[in-house]
Amino acid sequence: MKILVHDFAGHPFTAELSRSLAARGHNVTHVWFSGDTGPKGRLSLLEDDAETLSFLPLGAKIDYSKTNFVKRRQGDIAYGREVAEVIARTRPDIVLSGNTPTEAQEPIVAACRKAAVPFIYWCQDFYSIAASRLLEAKLPVAGHLIGAYYRFLERRQMHRSARVLHITDSFRAQTDAWGIPAAQVEVIPNWGALDEIPLTPRDTPWARAHGLSDQARFVYSGTLAMKHNPAFLSGLAAELAAGEQLVLVSNGVGVDHLQQESTQKDLKALKILPLQPIADLPSILGAGDVLLAVIEREAGIYSVPSKILSYLCAGRPIVLAAPADNLAAQILTQTGAGKVVEPEDIAGFIKAALSYRDDPEGAAKAGAAGREYAEAHFQMDRVCDRFEALFDAARKG
C-alpha cells in the first residue's frame, strides 16, 4: 500500500510504526509539524531504513504560538492545508492521522474525501473536548461557543472517516455518544519504542555528562503543558534531602512556571534541562531511580500520557498522578509497575515517590514489572499486523 502516516506531534512510536510498515514493503510517507516543540522521534532516514520510507516535515514557515489563541488557530488551519496539498498531490491508498488539532484535521479529512482516499481518524485524545474545557475556563461565554464548534467539527470528522482508531476502550463511550457506528471503531493501544529503549545501568553517560548526583534521582521527561500540574514536581523537589535531585527534561508553559518557582523558593533539588536528542532518551530514563508523570483530571479522561509507555520500557518504577480509570493508571496498577494517585493529591504523589526511594527492593520489582509488560505488549511485528488489518478493512469500506 501507499500509506501516508500523519502525526502532528512527531512522537517516537509513530515514527517506528512508519519504519516497520516500510520494512514490510509498503510505500510510507511520514508527515509531521516541524514547528511543534515537543519531544520528537527519529524523524530522518537511518542507514538500515527501507527505500520505500520518506519523512516529510511541514509547516516550517508558519508563525505558530501555543499561548496566543488567534495565532495558534491560524497556524493550525495553515498547517492542515499543507497536509491536504500533499494528499492531493501524492494520492495515497490510505491516510492515518493522529495527534492533530481539530482545525488542522478538517482540511486533511476534506482532502481525503475529495481524492476518495480512505481516512483513519487516530484518536489519541478528544482534542475538541480538552480544548473546550480549557477555553470555557478562560472565556466563559465565548469559550463555550468556540468549544461547541470544535466538538461539532471533531464529531463530523469521525463520521466522515473510514475508521476511527482509539488507543483505549474507554474512548468508545464518547464515540457511542456521538453516534459513530460501533463497526467503524477499532482499538489499538499505543506502545513504547521498545527496541530504542534498552535497559541501562543507573550510571549512564548522560548522567555523568550532566553532573547528576549519586544520590536519589527523580526524573520527569517530556512536555509539561497546561494539562500537567507543575505543583506536583515543585512539591516533591521541596521535600528532597540534600544531594537528591528532581531532574526535569522538558519544555512547555509548566517549565517556565517551575523556573520562576525554583528561584523564588530556592529549590536546590530541582534541575531543569531542555528537551534532549531522542538518542539520549534511554540514558535519561535509565539515570532515574523513579520516573514521574502527571495529568489533570479533566485531561486525564480523554488522554493517555505517552511518556508512561517509554517509562515502562526503561524498567524503572513510575509514579503517576492521574484519574484511576486512565489507561496508563490502569496499566501501572494492574502490573505493579508503579503507583497512582489522584490528580489533586500532591501529598500522596510525594509520599509515593519517596516510598520507592526508601524501598530499593520494591522499586526494582516495580521496574522489572514495567519492562516485562513492555516486552509482552510492544513488539512491532504484532503492532504492524493489527495496523495492516485495519488498513485492509478501511479500504474495503
Side-chain angles (χ1 to χ4, degrees):
M1 282 178 279
K2 188 177 180 181
I3 304 166
L4 189 144
V5 176
H6 171 244
D7 173 21
F8 183 90
H11 286 308
F13 70 96
T14 54
E16 294 318 298
L17 173 63
S18 291
R19 280 197 163 84
S20 298
L21 289 169
R24 291 188 170 199
H26 300 293
N27 189 312
V28 182
T29 301
H30 188 97
V31 179
W32 81 98
F33 178 36
S34 63
D36 182 80
T37 57
K40 295 289 178 283
R42 300 185 296 175
L43 296 171
S44 59
L45 289 174
L46 305 176
E47 186 176 344
D48 58 349
D49 280 337
E51 293 181 0
T52 54
L53 175 67
S54 62
F55 289 96
L56 181 61
L58 297 178
K61 295 182 180 179
I62 294 175
D63 183 16
Y64 199 80
S65 171
K66 285 195 173 183
T67 56
N68 182 305
F69 173 75
V70 174
K71 276 191 175 182
R72 183 168 187 166
R73 180 172 183 267
Q74 292 172 340
D76 286 343
I77 294 170
Y79 172 77
R81 288 173 178 166
E82 288 194 27
V83 181
E85 289 171 3
V86 173
I87 293 167
R89 184 175 70 251
T90 62
R91 298 282 177 138
D93 295 320
I94 198 153
V95 170
L96 172 69
S97 181
N99 293 304
T100 306
T102 306
E103 287 196 277
Q105 194 81 286
E106 184 69 7
I108 298 172
V109 175
C112 287
R113 284 170 62 83
K114 185 175 182 179
V117 174
F119 174 83
I120 298 176
Y121 192 113
W122 197 359
C123 185
Q124 297 283 334
D125 56 24
F126 287 89
Y127 188 94
S128 68
I129 295 176
S132 295
R133 292 180 175 180
L134 289 171
L135 287 166
E136 288 170 10
K138 289 190 171 186
L139 306 166
V141 178
H144 176 75
L145 295 174
I146 297 169
Y149 173 64
Y150 279 177
R151 292 193 299 275
F152 162 76
L153 286 182
E154 187 166 30
R155 177 180 177 178
R156 185 175 69 178
Q157 289 163 10
M158 290 185 175
H159 273 283
R160 291 178 171 178
S161 301
R163 289 292 186 278
V164 174
L165 175 60
H166 288 325
I167 61 172
T168 171
D169 275 307
S170 64
F171 285 5
R172 286 184 182 272
Q174 186 60 52
T175 44
D176 287 347
W178 279 355
I180 312 299
Q184 191 178 324
V185 178
E186 303 283 350
V187 177
I188 301 178
N190 283 349
W191 61 95
L194 183 66
D195 293 341
E196 294 181 40
I197 308 177
L199 295 174
T200 70
R202 181 178 184 271
D203 183 25
T204 68
W206 185 87
R208 294 194 298 272
H210 287 82
L212 299 191
S213 166
D214 288 334
Q215 297 189 50
R217 304 174 191 150
F218 302 82
V219 172
Y220 180 103
S221 176
T223 302
L224 196 64
M226 295 174 68
K227 61 184 178 182
H228 309 117
N229 185 353
F232 281 85
L233 303 180
S234 58
L236 175 59
E239 295 297 322
L240 297 184
E244 297 177 340
Q245 289 181 307
L246 194 163
V247 184
L248 176 67
V249 182
S250 184
N251 72 342
V253 294
V255 176
D256 298 334
H257 176 85
L258 283 177
Q259 286 173 331
Q260 295 175 2
E261 192 171 3
S262 179
T263 301
Q264 293 168 357
K265 297 182 179 179
D266 193 25
L267 299 176
K268 292 184 171 61
L270 184 59
K271 186 178 183 68
I272 300 176
L273 297 169
L275 290 175
Q276 305 289 297
I278 187 64
D280 288 338
L281 184 60
S283 197
I284 293 167
L285 301 183
D289 297 304
V290 182
L291 305 179
L292 309 170
V294 299
I295 191 164
E296 296 276 31
R297 180 172 295 282
E298 291 192 347
I301 297 172
Y302 298 110
S303 180
V304 178
S306 59
K307 62 174 61 67
I308 293 293
L309 306 176
S310 296
Y311 287 1
L312 291 165
C313 297
R316 297 293 190 270
I318 301 165
V319 176
L320 169 66
D325 58 355
N326 181 275
L327 177 61
Q330 291 175 350
I331 291 172
L332 297 185
T333 301
Q334 292 168 7
T335 63
K339 297 183 178 182
V340 179
V341 302
E342 293 297 319
E344 302 81 17
D345 189 5
I346 296 177
F349 182 84
I350 295 169
K351 181 179 179 182
L354 296 182
S355 72
Y356 279 132
R357 176 199 65 184
D358 298 335
D359 180 14
E361 184 177 338
K365 184 177 179 180
R371 180 69 186 192
E372 182 179 355
Y373 178 89
E375 290 176 351
H377 292 83
F378 299 165
Q379 298 293 340
M380 281 309 301
D381 279 347
R382 297 177 191 172
V383 172
C384 278
D385 287 344
R386 298 189 67 181
F387 273 91
E388 286 181 325
L390 172 68
F391 296 158
D392 287 339
R395 293 178 71 193
K396 290 174 183 176

